[in-house]
Coordinates of all heavy atoms in Angstrom, one line a residue:
M1 N 91.8 92.7 86.9 CA 93.0 93.3 86.2 C 93.6 92.2 85.3 O 93.7 91.0 85.7 CB 94.0 93.7 87.3 CG 95.2 94.3 86.8 SD 96.4 94.7 88.1 CE 96.4 96.4 88.0
N2 N 94.0 92.6 84.1 CA 94.6 91.7 83.2 C 96.1 91.9 83.1 O 96.6 93.0 83.2 CB 93.9 91.8 81.8 CG 92.5 91.3 81.8 OD1 92.2 90.3 82.4 ND2 91.6 92.1 81.2
C3 N 96.8 90.8 82.8 CA 98.2 90.9 82.7 C 98.7 91.8 81.5 O 98.2 91.6 80.4 CB 98.8 89.5 82.5 SG 100.6 89.4 82.3
P4 N 99.6 92.7 81.7 CA 100.0 93.6 80.6 C 100.8 92.8 79.6 O 101.0 93.2 78.4 CB 100.9 94.6 81.3 CG 101.3 94.0 82.6 CD 100.2 93.1 83.0
N5 N 101.3 91.6 79.9 CA 102.2 90.8 79.0 C 101.3 89.9 78.1 O 101.4 89.9 76.9 CB 103.2 90.0 79.8 CG 104.2 90.9 80.4 OD1 104.5 92.0 80.0 ND2 104.8 90.4 81.5
C6 N 100.4 89.1 78.8 CA 99.7 88.1 78.1 C 98.2 88.2 78.2 O 97.5 87.3 77.7 CB 100.2 86.7 78.6 SG 99.8 86.4 80.3
R7 N 97.7 89.3 78.8 CA 96.3 89.5 78.9 C 95.5 88.5 79.7 O 94.3 88.5 79.7 CB 95.6 89.6 77.5 CG 96.2 90.7 76.6 CD 95.5 92.0 76.9 NE 96.5 93.1 76.7 CZ 96.5 94.2 77.4 NH1 95.7 94.4 78.4 NH2 97.4 95.2 77.1
N8 N 96.2 87.6 80.4 CA 95.6 86.6 81.2 C 95.0 87.3 82.5 O 95.6 88.4 82.9 CB 96.7 85.6 81.7 CG 96.1 84.4 82.4 OD1 95.1 83.9 82.0 ND2 96.7 84.1 83.5
K9 N 94.0 86.8 83.0 CA 93.4 87.5 84.2 C 94.3 87.3 85.4 O 94.8 86.2 85.7 CB 92.0 86.9 84.5 CG 91.2 87.7 85.5 CD 89.7 87.4 85.4 CE 88.9 88.0 86.5 NZ 89.3 89.3 87.0
M10 N 94.6 88.4 86.1 CA 95.6 88.2 87.2 C 94.9 87.9 88.5 O 93.7 88.4 88.7 CB 96.4 89.5 87.3 CG 97.2 89.8 86.1 SD 98.3 91.3 86.3 CE 99.8 90.5 86.9
K11 N 95.5 87.2 89.4 CA 95.0 86.9 90.7 C 95.5 87.8 91.7 O 96.6 88.2 91.7 CB 95.3 85.4 91.0 CG 94.5 84.4 90.4 CD 94.8 83.0 90.9 CE 94.0 82.0 90.1 NZ 94.7 80.6 90.2
K12 N 94.6 88.1 92.6 CA 94.9 89.0 93.7 C 95.5 88.2 94.8 O 95.0 87.1 95.2 CB 93.6 89.7 94.3 CG 93.9 90.9 95.2 CD 92.6 91.6 95.5 CE 92.9 92.8 96.4 NZ 91.7 93.5 96.8
K13 N 96.7 88.6 95.3 CA 97.4 87.8 96.4 C 97.8 88.7 97.5 O 98.0 89.9 97.3 CB 98.6 87.1 95.8 CG 98.3 86.2 94.7 CD 99.3 85.1 94.4 CE 98.9 84.1 93.4 NZ 99.5 82.8 93.6
T14 N 98.0 88.1 98.6 CA 98.4 88.9 99.8 C 99.8 88.3 100.3 O 99.9 87.1 100.3 CB 97.4 88.8 100.9 OG1 96.1 89.2 100.4 CG2 97.7 89.8 102.1
D15 N 100.7 89.2 100.7 CA 101.9 88.7 101.2 C 102.4 89.7 102.4 O 101.8 90.7 102.6 CB 103.0 88.7 100.1 CG 104.1 87.7 100.4 OD1 104.2 87.2 101.5 OD2 104.9 87.4 99.5
N16 N 103.4 89.3 103.0 CA 104.0 90.2 104.1 C 105.4 90.5 103.8 O 106.2 89.7 103.3 CB 104.0 89.4 105.4 CG 102.6 89.3 106.0 OD1 101.9 90.3 106.3 ND2 102.0 88.1 106.1
T17 N 105.8 91.8 104.1 CA 107.2 92.1 104.0 C 107.9 91.5 105.1 O 107.3 91.0 106.1 CB 107.4 93.7 104.1 OG1 107.0 94.1 105.4 CG2 106.5 94.4 103.1
P18 N 109.3 91.4 105.1 CA 110.0 90.8 106.2 C 109.7 91.5 107.6 O 109.8 90.9 108.6 CB 111.5 91.0 105.8 CG 111.5 91.1 104.3 CD 110.1 91.8 104.0
E19 N 109.2 92.7 107.5 CA 108.9 93.5 108.8 C 107.5 93.2 109.2 O 107.1 93.7 110.2 CB 109.1 95.0 108.6 CG 110.6 95.4 108.4 CD 111.1 95.2 107.0 OE1 110.3 94.8 106.1 OE2 112.3 95.3 106.8
G20 N 106.8 92.4 108.5 CA 105.4 92.0 108.9 C 104.3 93.0 108.4 O 103.2 92.9 108.9
V21 N 104.6 93.8 107.4 CA 103.6 94.7 106.9 C 103.0 94.0 105.7 O 103.6 93.5 104.8 CB 104.2 96.0 106.3 CG1 103.2 96.9 105.7 CG2 104.9 96.8 107.5
S22 N 101.6 93.8 105.8 CA 101.0 93.0 104.8 C 100.6 93.9 103.6 O 100.3 95.1 103.7 CB 99.7 92.3 105.3 OG 98.7 93.3 105.5
F23 N 100.7 93.3 102.4 CA 100.3 94.1 101.2 C 99.7 93.1 100.2 O 99.9 91.9 100.2 CB 101.5 94.8 100.6 CG 102.6 93.8 100.1 CD1 102.7 93.4 98.8 CD2 103.6 93.3 101.0 CE1 103.7 92.6 98.4 CE2 104.6 92.5 100.6 CZ 104.6 92.1 99.3
T24 N 98.9 93.6 99.3 CA 98.3 92.8 98.3 C 98.9 93.1 96.9 O 99.4 94.2 96.7 CB 96.8 93.0 98.2 OG1 96.5 94.4 98.0 CG2 96.0 92.5 99.4
Y25 N 98.9 92.2 96.0 CA 99.5 92.4 94.7 C 98.8 91.5 93.7 O 98.0 90.6 94.1 CB 101.0 92.2 94.7 CG 101.4 90.8 95.0 CD1 101.7 89.9 94.0 CD2 101.5 90.3 96.3 CE1 102.1 88.6 94.3 CE2 101.9 89.0 96.6 CZ 102.2 88.2 95.6 OH 102.6 86.9 95.9
F26 N 99.0 91.7 92.4 CA 98.3 90.9 91.4 C 99.4 90.0 90.8 O 100.5 90.5 90.5 CB 97.6 91.7 90.4 CG 96.5 92.5 91.0 CD1 96.6 93.7 91.6 CD2 95.2 91.9 91.0 CE1 95.5 94.4 92.1 CE2 94.1 92.5 91.6 CZ 94.3 93.8 92.2
K27 N 99.1 88.7 90.6 CA 100.0 87.8 89.9 C 99.4 87.1 88.8 O 98.3 86.6 88.9 CB 100.6 86.8 91.0 CG 101.7 86.0 90.4 CD 102.2 85.0 91.4 CE 103.2 84.0 90.8 NZ 104.6 84.3 91.0
C28 N 100.1 87.0 87.7 CA 99.7 86.3 86.5 C 100.3 84.9 86.6 O 101.5 84.7 86.7 CB 100.2 86.9 85.2 SG 99.9 86.0 83.8
D29 N 99.4 83.9 86.7 CA 99.8 82.5 86.8 C 100.4 82.0 85.5 O 101.2 81.0 85.5 CB 98.7 81.6 87.2 CG 98.3 81.8 88.7 OD1 99.2 82.2 89.4 OD2 97.2 81.5 89.0
K30 N 100.1 82.6 84.4 CA 100.6 82.2 83.1 C 102.0 82.5 82.8 O 102.8 81.7 82.5 CB 99.7 82.8 82.0 CG 99.4 81.9 80.8 CD 98.4 82.6 80.0 CE 98.1 81.9 78.6 NZ 97.2 82.6 77.8
C31 N 102.4 83.8 83.0 CA 103.8 84.3 82.8 C 104.5 84.7 84.0 O 105.7 85.0 83.9 CB 103.8 85.4 81.7 SG 103.2 87.0 82.4
G32 N 103.9 84.7 85.1 CA 104.6 85.0 86.4 C 104.7 86.5 86.7 O 105.3 86.9 87.7
E33 N 104.1 87.4 85.8 CA 104.2 88.8 86.1 C 103.5 89.2 87.4 O 102.4 88.7 87.7 CB 103.5 89.5 84.9 CG 103.4 91.0 85.0 CD 104.7 91.8 84.7 OE1 105.7 91.1 84.4 OE2 104.6 93.0 84.8
E34 N 104.2 90.1 88.2 CA 103.6 90.5 89.4 C 103.4 92.0 89.4 O 104.4 92.7 89.0 CB 104.5 90.1 90.6 CG 104.5 88.6 90.9 CD 105.4 88.2 92.0 OE1 106.1 89.1 92.5 OE2 105.4 87.0 92.3
I35 N 102.3 92.5 89.8 CA 102.0 93.9 89.9 C 101.6 94.3 91.2 O 100.6 93.8 91.8 CB 101.0 94.4 88.8 CG1 101.6 94.2 87.4 CG2 100.6 95.8 89.0 CD1 100.6 94.5 86.3
L36 N 102.3 95.3 91.8 CA 101.9 95.9 93.1 C 101.3 97.3 92.7 O 101.9 98.1 92.1 CB 103.1 96.1 93.9 CG 103.0 96.6 95.3 CD1 102.2 95.6 96.2 CD2 104.3 96.9 96.0
D37 N 100.0 97.4 93.0 CA 99.4 98.7 92.5 C 99.9 99.9 93.4 O 100.2 99.7 94.5 CB 97.9 98.6 92.4 CG 97.1 98.7 93.7 OD1 97.0 99.8 94.2 OD2 96.7 97.7 94.2
L38 N 99.9 101.0 92.8 CA 100.5 102.2 93.3 C 99.8 102.6 94.7 O 100.5 103.0 95.6 CB 100.3 103.4 92.3 CG 101.5 104.4 92.3 CD1 102.8 103.6 92.0 CD2 101.2 105.5 91.3
K39 N 98.5 102.4 94.8 CA 97.8 102.8 96.0 C 98.4 101.9 97.2 O 98.6 102.4 98.2 CB 96.3 102.6 95.8 CG 95.5 103.8 96.2 CD 94.0 103.5 96.2 CE 93.2 104.2 95.2 NZ 91.9 103.7 95.0
Q40 N 98.5 100.6 96.8 CA 99.0 99.7 97.8 C 100.4 100.1 98.2 O 100.8 100.0 99.4 CB 99.0 98.3 97.2 CG 97.8 97.5 97.5 CD 97.7 97.2 99.0 OE1 98.7 96.9 99.6 NE2 96.5 97.3 99.5
L41 N 101.2 100.5 97.3 CA 102.6 100.8 97.5 C 102.7 102.0 98.5 O 103.5 102.0 99.4 CB 103.3 101.2 96.2 CG 104.8 101.1 96.1 CD1 105.2 99.6 96.3 CD2 105.3 101.6 94.8
H42 N 101.8 103.0 98.3 CA 101.8 104.1 99.2 C 101.3 103.7 100.6 O 101.9 104.2 101.5 CB 100.8 105.2 98.6 CG 101.3 105.9 97.4 ND1 102.6 106.6 97.5 CD2 100.9 106.1 96.2 CE1 102.8 107.1 96.3 NE2 101.8 106.9 95.5
A43 N 100.4 102.8 100.6 CA 99.9 102.3 101.9 C 101.0 101.6 102.7 O 101.2 101.8 103.9 CB 98.7 101.4 101.7
V44 N 101.8 100.8 101.9 CA 102.9 100.1 102.6 C 104.0 101.1 103.0 O 104.5 101.0 104.2 CB 103.5 99.1 101.6 CG1 104.8 98.5 102.1 CG2 102.5 97.9 101.3
A45 N 104.3 102.1 102.2 CA 105.3 103.1 102.6 C 104.8 103.9 103.8 O 105.6 104.2 104.7 CB 105.5 104.1 101.4
E46 N 103.5 104.1 103.9 CA 103.0 104.9 105.0 C 103.1 104.0 106.3 O 103.5 104.6 107.4 CB 101.5 105.2 104.8 CG 100.9 106.2 105.8 CD 101.7 107.5 105.9 OE1 102.2 108.1 104.9 OE2 101.9 107.9 107.1
K47 N 102.9 102.7 106.2 CA 103.0 101.9 107.3 C 104.5 101.8 107.8 O 104.7 101.8 109.0 CB 102.5 100.4 107.0 CG 101.0 100.3 107.1 CD 100.6 98.9 106.8 CE 99.1 98.8 106.5 NZ 98.8 97.5 105.9
Y48 N 105.4 101.8 106.9 CA 106.8 101.8 107.2 C 107.2 103.1 108.0 O 107.9 103.1 109.0 CB 107.7 101.8 105.9 CG 108.0 100.4 105.6 CD1 107.4 99.8 104.4 CD2 108.8 99.6 106.3 CE1 107.7 98.5 104.0 CE2 109.1 98.3 106.0 CZ 108.5 97.8 104.8 OH 108.8 96.5 104.5
R49 N 106.6 104.3 107.5 CA 106.9 105.5 108.2 C 106.4 105.5 109.6 O 107.1 105.9 110.5 CB 106.3 106.7 107.4 CG 107.2 107.3 106.4 CD 106.7 108.7 106.0 NE 105.5 108.5 105.1 CZ 105.6 108.3 103.8 NH1 106.8 108.2 103.2 NH2 104.5 108.2 103.1
E50 N 105.2 104.9 109.8 CA 104.6 104.8 111.1 C 105.5 104.0 112.0 O 105.7 104.3 113.2 CB 103.2 104.3 111.1 CG 102.2 105.3 110.7 CD 100.9 104.7 110.4 OE1 100.6 103.6 110.9 OE2 100.1 105.3 109.6
M51 N 106.0 102.9 111.4 CA 106.8 101.9 112.2 C 108.1 102.6 112.6 O 108.7 102.2 113.6 CB 107.1 100.7 111.4 CG 105.9 99.7 111.3 SD 106.3 98.4 110.1 CE 107.5 97.5 111.0
K52 N 108.6 103.5 111.7 CA 109.9 104.1 112.0 C 109.9 105.2 112.9 O 110.9 105.8 113.3 CB 110.6 104.5 110.7 CG 111.2 103.3 110.0 CD 111.8 103.7 108.7 CE 112.4 102.5 108.0 NZ 112.6 102.7 106.6
K53 N 108.7 105.7 113.3 CA 108.6 106.9 114.1 C 108.4 106.5 115.6 O 107.5 105.7 115.9 CB 107.4 107.7 113.6 CG 107.7 109.2 113.6 CD 106.4 110.0 113.3 CE 106.1 110.0 111.8 NZ 104.8 110.6 111.5
Y54 N 109.2 107.0 116.4 CA 109.0 106.8 117.9 C 109.2 108.1 118.6 O 109.9 109.0 118.2 CB 110.1 105.8 118.4 CG 110.1 104.4 117.8 CD1 110.8 104.1 116.7 CD2 109.2 103.5 118.3 CE1 110.7 102.8 116.1 CE2 109.2 102.2 117.8 CZ 109.9 101.9 116.7 OH 109.9 100.6 116.2
T55 N 108.5 108.2 119.7 CA 108.7 109.3 120.5 C 109.2 108.9 121.9 O 109.0 107.7 122.3 CB 107.4 110.1 120.8 OG1 106.4 109.2 121.3 CG2 106.8 110.7 119.5
A56 N 110.0 109.7 122.5 CA 110.6 109.4 123.8 C 110.6 110.7 124.6 O 110.7 111.8 124.1 CB 112.0 108.9 123.6
K57 N 110.4 110.5 125.9 CA 110.5 111.6 126.8 C 111.9 111.7 127.4 O 112.6 110.7 127.6 CB 109.5 111.3 128.0 CG 108.9 112.6 128.6 CD 107.9 112.2 129.7 CE 106.8 113.3 129.7 NZ 105.7 112.8 130.5
I58 N 112.3 113.0 127.5 CA 113.6 113.2 128.1 C 113.4 113.5 129.6 O 112.6 114.3 130.0 CB 114.3 114.4 127.5 CG1 114.5 114.2 126.0 CG2 115.6 114.8 128.2 CD1 115.1 115.3 125.2
S59 N 114.1 112.8 130.4 CA 114.0 113.0 131.9 C 115.4 113.4 132.5 O 116.4 113.2 131.9 CB 113.5 111.8 132.6 OG 114.0 110.6 132.1
K60 N 115.3 114.1 133.6 CA 116.5 114.6 134.2 C 117.1 113.4 135.0 O 116.5 112.6 135.7 CB 116.1 115.7 135.2 CG 117.3 116.6 135.5 CD 116.8 118.0 136.0 CE 117.9 118.8 136.7 NZ 119.1 119.0 135.8
W61 N 118.4 113.3 134.9 CA 119.2 112.3 135.6 C 120.4 112.9 136.1 O 121.4 113.1 135.4 CB 119.5 111.2 134.6 CG 119.9 109.9 135.2 CD1 120.1 109.7 136.5 CD2 120.1 108.6 134.5 NE1 120.5 108.4 136.7 CE2 120.5 107.7 135.5 CE3 120.0 108.2 133.2 CZ2 120.8 106.4 135.2 CZ3 120.4 106.9 132.9 CH2 120.7 106.0 133.9
G62 N 120.4 113.4 137.3 CA 121.5 114.2 137.9 C 121.6 115.5 137.1 O 120.6 116.2 136.9
E63 N 122.8 115.7 136.7 CA 123.0 117.0 135.9 C 122.8 116.7 134.4 O 122.8 117.6 133.6 CB 124.5 117.5 136.1 CG 124.7 118.2 137.4 CD 123.7 119.3 137.6 OE1 123.8 120.3 136.8 OE2 123.0 119.3 138.6
S64 N 122.6 115.4 134.0 CA 122.4 115.1 132.6 C 120.9 114.8 132.3 O 120.1 114.8 133.2 CB 123.2 113.8 132.3 OG 124.6 114.0 132.6
L65 N 120.7 114.6 131.1 CA 119.3 114.2 130.7 C 119.3 112.8 130.1 O 120.3 112.4 129.5 CB 118.8 115.2 129.6 CG 118.6 116.6 130.1 CD1 118.2 117.5 128.9 CD2 117.6 116.8 131.2
A66 N 118.3 112.0 130.4 CA 118.2 110.7 129.9 C 117.0 110.5 128.9 O 116.0 111.1 129.1 CB 118.0 109.7 131.1
V67 N 117.3 109.8 127.9 CA 116.2 109.5 126.9 C 115.9 108.0 127.0 O 116.7 107.1 127.0 CB 116.7 109.8 125.4 CG1 115.6 109.4 124.4 CG2 117.1 111.2 125.3
R68 N 114.6 107.7 127.2 CA 114.1 106.4 127.3 C 113.9 105.8 125.8 O 113.2 106.3 125.1 CB 112.8 106.3 128.0 CG 112.4 105.0 128.6 CD 111.1 105.1 129.3 NE 111.3 105.7 130.6 CZ 111.2 105.0 131.7 NH1 111.0 103.8 131.7 NH2 111.3 105.6 132.9
I69 N 114.7 104.8 125.5 CA 114.6 104.2 124.2 C 113.5 103.1 124.1 O 113.6 102.2 124.9 CB 116.0 103.7 123.7 CG1 117.0 104.8 123.7 CG2 115.9 103.0 122.4 CD1 118.4 104.4 123.4
P70 N 112.5 103.2 123.3 CA 111.5 102.2 123.2 C 112.0 100.8 122.9 O 113.0 100.7 122.2 CB 110.6 102.7 122.0 CG 110.9 104.2 121.9 CD 112.4 104.3 122.3
K71 N 111.3 99.9 123.5 CA 111.8 98.5 123.4 C 112.0 98.0 122.0 O 113.0 97.3 121.8 CB 110.7 97.6 124.1 CG 111.3 96.2 124.4 CD 110.3 95.3 125.2 CE 111.0 94.0 125.4 NZ 110.0 93.0 126.0
P72 N 111.1 98.3 121.0 CA 111.4 97.8 119.7 C 112.7 98.2 119.1 O 113.4 97.5 118.4 CB 110.2 98.4 118.8 CG 109.2 98.7 119.8 CD 109.9 99.0 121.1
L73 N 113.1 99.4 119.5 CA 114.4 99.9 119.1 C 115.6 99.3 119.8 O 116.6 99.0 119.2 CB 114.5 101.5 119.2 CG 113.6 102.3 118.4 CD1 113.8 103.8 118.7 CD2 113.9 102.0 116.9
T74 N 115.4 99.0 121.1 CA 116.5 98.3 121.8 C 116.7 96.9 121.2 O 117.8 96.4 121.1 CB 116.2 98.2 123.3 OG1 115.0 97.3 123.5 CG2 115.9 99.5 123.9
K75 N 115.6 96.3 120.8 CA 115.7 95.0 120.2 C 116.4 95.0 118.9 O 117.3 94.2 118.6 CB 114.3 94.3 120.1 CG 113.8 93.7 121.4 CD 112.6 92.9 121.1 CE 112.4 91.7 122.0 NZ 111.1 91.0 121.7
K76 N 115.9 96.0 118.1 CA 116.4 96.1 116.7 C 117.9 96.4 116.7 O 118.6 95.9 115.8 CB 115.6 97.2 116.0 CG 115.9 97.2 114.5 CD 115.0 98.2 113.8 CE 115.4 98.2 112.3 NZ 114.9 99.3 111.6
Y77 N 118.3 97.2 117.6 CA 119.8 97.6 117.6 C 120.6 96.9 118.7 O 121.7 97.2 119.0 CB 119.9 99.1 117.7 CG 119.2 99.8 116.5 CD1 118.0 100.3 116.6 CD2 119.9 99.8 115.3 CE1 117.4 100.9 115.5 CE2 119.4 100.4 114.2 CZ 118.1 100.9 114.3 OH 117.5 101.5 113.2
S78 N 119.9 95.8 119.3 CA 120.6 95.1 120.4 C 121.2 95.9 121.4 O 122.4 95.8 121.8 CB 121.7 94.2 119.8 OG 121.2 93.4 118.7
L79 N 120.4 96.9 121.9 CA 120.9 97.8 123.0 C 120.7 97.1 124.3 O 119.6 96.6 124.6 CB 120.2 99.1 122.9 CG 120.4 99.9 121.6 CD1 119.5 101.2 121.6 CD2 121.9 100.3 121.4
K80 N 121.7 97.1 125.2 CA 121.5 96.5 126.5 C 121.8 97.5 127.6 O 122.7 98.4 127.4 CB 122.4 95.3 126.6 CG 122.2 94.2 125.6 CD 122.2 92.9 126.2 CE 121.5 91.8 125.4 NZ 121.5 92.0 124.0
A81 N 121.2 97.4 128.7 CA 121.4 98.3 129.8 C 122.8 98.2 130.3 O 123.5 97.1 130.2 CB 120.4 98.0 131.0
N82 N 123.4 99.3 130.8 CA 124.7 99.4 131.3 C 125.8 99.1 130.3 O 126.9 98.6 130.7 CB 124.9 98.5 132.6 CG 123.9 98.8 133.7 OD1 123.7 100.0 134.0 ND2 123.2 97.9 134.2
T83 N 125.6 99.3 129.1 CA 126.6 99.1 128.1 C 126.8 100.5 127.5 O 126.0 101.4 127.6 CB 126.3 98.2 127.0 OG1 125.1 98.6 126.3 CG2 126.1 96.7 127.5
E84 N 128.0 100.7 126.9 CA 128.3 102.1 126.4 C 127.9 102.2 124.9 O 128.1 101.3 124.1 CB 129.8 102.3 126.5 CG 130.0 103.5 127.4 CD 131.5 103.8 127.7 OE1 132.3 103.5 126.8 OE2 131.8 104.2 128.8
V85 N 127.4 103.4 124.5 CA 127.1 103.7 123.1 C 127.9 105.0 122.8 O 128.3 105.7 123.7 CB 125.6 103.9 122.8 CG1 124.9 102.6 122.9 CG2 125.0 105.0 123.7
T86 N 128.1 105.3 121.6 CA 128.7 106.5 121.2 C 127.7 107.5 120.7 O 126.8 107.2 119.9 CB 129.8 106.2 120.0 OG1 130.6 105.2 120.5 CG2 130.5 107.5 119.7
L87 N 127.7 108.8 121.2 CA 126.8 109.8 120.7 C 127.6 110.7 119.7 O 128.6 111.2 120.0 CB 126.3 110.6 121.9 CG 125.6 109.9 123.0 CD1 125.1 110.8 124.1 CD2 124.3 109.1 122.4
V88 N 127.0 110.8 118.5 CA 127.6 111.7 117.5 C 126.7 112.9 117.3 O 125.6 112.8 116.7 CB 127.8 110.9 116.2 CG1 128.5 111.7 115.2 CG2 128.6 109.6 116.5
P89 N 127.2 114.1 117.7 CA 126.4 115.3 117.5 C 126.4 115.7 116.0 O 127.5 115.8 115.4 CB 127.1 116.4 118.3 CG 128.1 115.6 119.2 CD 128.4 114.4 118.4
E90 N 125.2 115.8 115.4 CA 125.1 116.2 114.0 C 124.4 117.6 114.0 O 123.9 118.0 115.0 CB 124.4 115.1 113.2 CG 125.2 113.9 113.2 CD 124.8 112.9 112.1 OE1 123.6 113.0 111.7 OE2 125.6 112.0 111.7
K91 N 124.2 118.1 112.8 CA 123.6 119.5 112.7 C 122.2 119.6 113.4 O 122.0 120.5 114.2 CB 123.5 119.9 111.2 CG 123.4 121.4 111.0 CD 123.4 121.7 109.6 CE 123.1 123.2 109.4 NZ 122.7 123.6 108.1
N92 N 121.3 118.6 113.0 CA 120.0 118.7 113.6 C 119.6 117.5 114.4 O 118.4 117.2 114.6 CB 119.0 119.0 112.5 CG 119.2 120.3 111.8 OD1 119.3 121.3 112.5 ND2 119.3 120.2 110.5
A93 N 120.6 116.6 114.7 CA 120.2 115.4 115.4 C 121.4 114.9 116.2 O 122.6 115.3 116.0 CB 119.8 114.4 114.4
I94 N 121.1 114.0 117.1 CA 122.2 113.3 117.7 C 122.1 111.8 117.3 O 121.1 111.2 117.5 CB 122.1 113.4 119.3 CG1 122.1 114.8 119.7 CG2 123.2 112.6 120.0 CD1 121.7 115.1 121.2
K95 N 123.2 111.3 116.8 CA 123.2 109.9 116.3 C 123.8 109.0 117.4 O 124.7 109.4 118.1 CB 124.1 109.8 115.1 CG 123.8 108.6 114.3 CD 124.8 108.4 113.2 CE 124.4 109.0 111.9 NZ 125.5 108.9 110.8
I96 N 123.1 107.9 117.7 CA 123.6 107.0 118.7 C 124.2 105.8 118.0 O 123.5 105.1 117.2 CB 122.4 106.5 119.6 CG1 121.8 107.7 120.3 CG2 122.9 105.5 120.6 CD1 120.5 107.3 121.1
L97 N 125.4 105.5 118.2 CA 126.1 104.3 117.6 C 126.2 103.3 118.7 O 126.8 103.5 119.7 CB 127.4 104.7 117.0 CG 127.5 105.8 116.0 CD1 128.9 106.1 115.6 CD2 126.6 105.4 114.8
S98 N 125.7 102.1 118.4 CA 125.8 101.0 119.4 C 127.0 100.1 119.1 O 127.5 100.2 118.0 CB 124.5 100.2 119.4 OG 124.2 99.7 118.2
Ligands
ZN1 ZN1 100.9 87.1 82.1

């Protein structure tokens, strides 16, 4: 792949997003132009979607129901056992505010 600005041959490089998803891109050492190809971009977006999807089982807890929150989410949102959260009923979802 050649640089669209200066026609210099671009180098293939690999990097990681802050979330740890790796992606490759092309960089021109001459003018600093960086290109992330579309296919790669879609692959990265797909990985993000997978990372953001979690399933949880609802279990009975007395007269109420309990949802087990996966560990990565408890870490991400600093959720701790025996602390209170706010549940906000929305049209098609229940939002949890920590
Ligand atoms: Zn260039």
